[in-house]
Amino acid sequence: MKTRQLHADQPDDLRAAEALLRAGGIVAVPTETVYGLAANAANPEAVAAIFAAKGRPADHPLIVHIASAEDLALWATQIPDDAYTLAAALWPGPLTMLLKKAPNVTSLVTGGLNTIGIRVPAHPVLQHLLQSSGLGLAAPSANPYKQLSPTSAAQVMSKLDGKIDAVLDGGDCSIGLESTIVDLTSDVVRIVRVGPIAPSQVESLLDRPVAAPAVHQVAVPGNVDQHYQPRTPLHLVARQDLLAKMKLADSGTAFVVLADFAEQVPGSHLRIIRMPVSKPDFARSLYKTLYDLDQQGFEAIWFEIPPQSEEWLDVNDRLRRASYAGLDP
Ligand code: TXA
Ligand code: MG
């Protein structure tokens, strides 16, 4: 299959992307979080093509993206008031809600579950596609199974060229990490994936406690521990141990530190990448940094453990999943 490279600032290209989606094609599209691999959520063959392109097991549910909360009842049923409260405050934006699936929705999208993940994305290009097509778009992150999520069209192409109909380039993603997922299907509201919307924000909007395990323990297909991984082994290291690691390292090792790491680095042969100390800037460049390092053939990446405050929960979650620590015997 030839993958077309479309540009969202070209009206003809935007129309071409919409036509492909209407015809059952699969198109990588920009969102404010990461690029998604989109298809018409009501077309079973199109949804099946997403799973095939990603190499994703069929029981891993997809998120359905819709134009606005007004369309919620097309996809979900028994929608609690909490959903509308969160939607009013946080949509469009990086929040996915798990709700009871409407009976008419194909369970291919939900991996056979009777719940469905729904998000109203904020990215203007995807908003335009949703509104003008009138479709609901199933879209997982546009990466092969278990690999890093892409935050640019070039990253999508590097992994999925030849496997998808098109990529619609809408520039770099402004947030750079996947949405927060909140489960509203039972009495206890639960964060099942930490993300750009903090648990405390959900709590204050709903005015009650929300279960937010720092380590995911919810048995949901797709919520696997080794996930978001670069190919190069990545190890997390505390700041006080960095210098010792650097002293022992050779040029086959890359170090990623926060930009305020002020120690004198031992030796000019070492590859040191300095990450922004502002959380939003850090998040925006995290996957790109890992992608770039992966291209460069290092034997290992040593990554400084970022701050542990609530603001950095999602960064810490993704880095823990990206690290090889979980694979050690
Ligand atoms: O920011 C995002 O959420 C991006 C953009 C493209 O919207 N999408 C994304 O999709 O990260 P994906 O498929 O890579 O991750 C979605 C996660 C998976 O871990 C999946 O298991 C979970 O959401 N999920 C989706 N529907 C679910 C459901 N009904 N029940 C439990 N988990 C669900
Ligand atoms: Mg993903």
Side-chain angles (χ1 to χ4, degrees):
M1 172 187 304
K2 170 142 179 57
T3 299
R4 293 179 65 186
Q5 288 185 264
L6 303 171
H7 295 274
D9 54 2
Q10 310 276 324
D12 284 352
D13 280 11
L14 207 48
R15 277 192 290 273
E18 186 183 330
L20 282 168
L21 289 167
R22 283 179 187 280
I26 52 174
V27 180
V29 296
T31 90
E32 71 277 28
T33 57
V34 299
Y35 270 71
L37 183 54
N40 178 357
N43 177 334
E45 287 91 48
V47 172
I50 293 180
F51 285 95
K54 272 184 72 92
R56 176 162 166 146
D59 64 350
H60 288 206
L62 307 180
I63 295 171
V64 175
H65 298 71
I66 59 175
S68 84
E70 284 166 33
D71 295 343
L72 262 181
L74 297 174
W75 300 93
T77 184
Q78 301 169 47
I79 302 166
D81 290 345
D82 284 347
Y84 289 103
T85 305
L86 295 180
L90 300 172
W91 277 355
L95 180 80
T96 297
M97 297 192 214
L98 302 184
L99 298 166
K100 297 254 161 60
K101 177 181 91 66
N104 57 302
V105 176
T106 169
S107 60
L108 264 183
V109 171
T110 63
L113 298 174
N114 60 5
T115 60
I116 183 167
I118 305 182
R119 179 162 100 85
V120 174
H123 197 291
V125 169
L126 183 50
Q127 263 295 327
H128 168 86
L129 281 177
L130 290 166
Q131 284 173 26
S132 69
S133 70
L135 300 173
L137 293 174
S141 52
N143 51 281
Y145 181 54
K146 288 197 175 186
Q147 294 186 23
L148 292 168
S149 298
T151 55
S152 71
Q155 285 167 22
V156 175
M157 280 303 277
S158 76
K159 304 283 181 174
L160 294 178
D161 189 11
K163 296 189 167 156
I164 60 178
D165 291 294
V167 55
L168 179 61
D169 189 344
D172 291 353
C173 300
S174 60
I175 294 177
L177 289 183
E178 303 82 354
S179 63
T180 300
I181 304 181
V182 57
D183 182 355
L184 299 175
T185 61
S186 60
D187 292 342
V188 180
V189 175
R190 194 176 291 277
I191 306 282
V192 297
R193 181 173 71 188
V194 291
I197 307 286
S200 63
Q201 213 177 335
V202 176
E203 276 183 341
S204 70
L205 285 164
L206 299 183
D207 199 21
R208 62 197 173 97
V210 161
V215 175
H216 300 231
Q217 278 152 353
V218 186
V220 169
N223 194 1
V224 286
D225 221 28
Q226 276 83 48
H227 209 145
Y228 312 106
Q229 284 197 336
R231 299 244 158 106
T232 317
L234 181 149
H235 307 277
L236 293 168
V237 57
R239 173 163 290 191
Q240 65 268 23
D241 300 329
L242 269 170
L243 263 188
K245 291 281 177 213
M246 287 175 175
K247 282 185 183 137
L248 293 174
D250 59 23
S251 57
T253 307
F255 287 87
V256 186
V257 301
L258 278 138
D260 62 357
F261 179 77
E263 305 286 342
Q264 185 70 40
V265 171
S268 56
H269 62 287
L270 289 182
R271 177 67 194 279
I272 316 274
I273 287 116
R274 291 178 180 275
M275 296 294 284
V277 290
S278 128
K279 151 73 199 331
D281 294 343
F282 184 112
R284 193 177 302 125
S285 59
L286 175 59
Y287 287 154
K288 181 175 183 343
T289 300
L290 295 178
Y291 252 90
D292 290 349
L293 284 172
D294 242 4
Q295 309 298 315
Q296 294 169 34
F298 288 103
E299 282 151 32
I301 302 167
W302 285 93
F303 207 114
E304 178 180 354
I305 298 171
Q308 296 297 302
S309 61
E310 188 193 32
E311 188 190 13
W312 292 77
L313 260 182
D314 51 357
V315 162
N316 280 292
D317 172 77
R318 301 309 186 273
L319 277 173
R320 187 182 59 75
R321 290 165 187 254
S323 81
Y324 274 55
L327 297 178
D328 286 348

